[in-house]
Amino acid sequence: MYLKRVREIREDNDLYQKDIAEILKITTQQYQLYESGKRDFPLDLIIEFSKYFEVSLDYITELSNSKERRH
């Protein structure tokens, strides 16, 4: 499930949910709902997350084990 990768990326970068919420310009509560799977994570925010951390969408969605993003 892609939410596992989202959490792993956040934790690997020593960031809290509130930090990601600020990066994505949403509330901490919204982000918590997305990361927990209680609400669908909007594609535009997943793309922003991917760009910020410079990881591929394929990696986030577990279609690949390569983090490399193609530009």
Side-chain angles (χ1 to χ4, degrees):
M1 183 174 212
Y2 73 95
L3 298 173
K4 178 182 172 192
R5 286 261 168 103
V6 167
R7 182 177 179 171
E8 286 174 1
I9 293 166
R10 176 179 61 78
E11 291 176 345
D12 287 348
N13 285 277
D14 297 322
L15 295 172
Y16 296 100
Q17 290 180 337
K18 70 178 183 68
D19 300 321
I20 304 302
E22 289 175 15
I23 291 164
L24 298 177
K25 298 178 178 87
I26 60 175
T27 66
T28 301
Q29 292 79 9
Q30 282 177 296
Y31 183 78
Q32 288 170 339
L33 291 171
Y34 297 150
E35 192 178 279
S36 69
K38 293 180 181 173
R39 284 225 175 126
D40 288 336
F41 208 136
L43 182 57
D44 61 323
L45 294 181
I46 294 173
I47 291 169
E48 287 303 312
F49 184 94
S50 168
K51 288 179 181 178
Y52 183 84
F53 289 105
E54 297 183 352
V55 297
S56 71
L57 289 172
D58 284 349
Y59 178 77
I60 291 173
T61 58
E62 298 184 8
L63 294 174
S64 170
N65 287 322
S66 173
K67 291 182 181 181
E68 187 176 322
R69 228 176 113 233
R70 295 182 186 154
H71 297 281

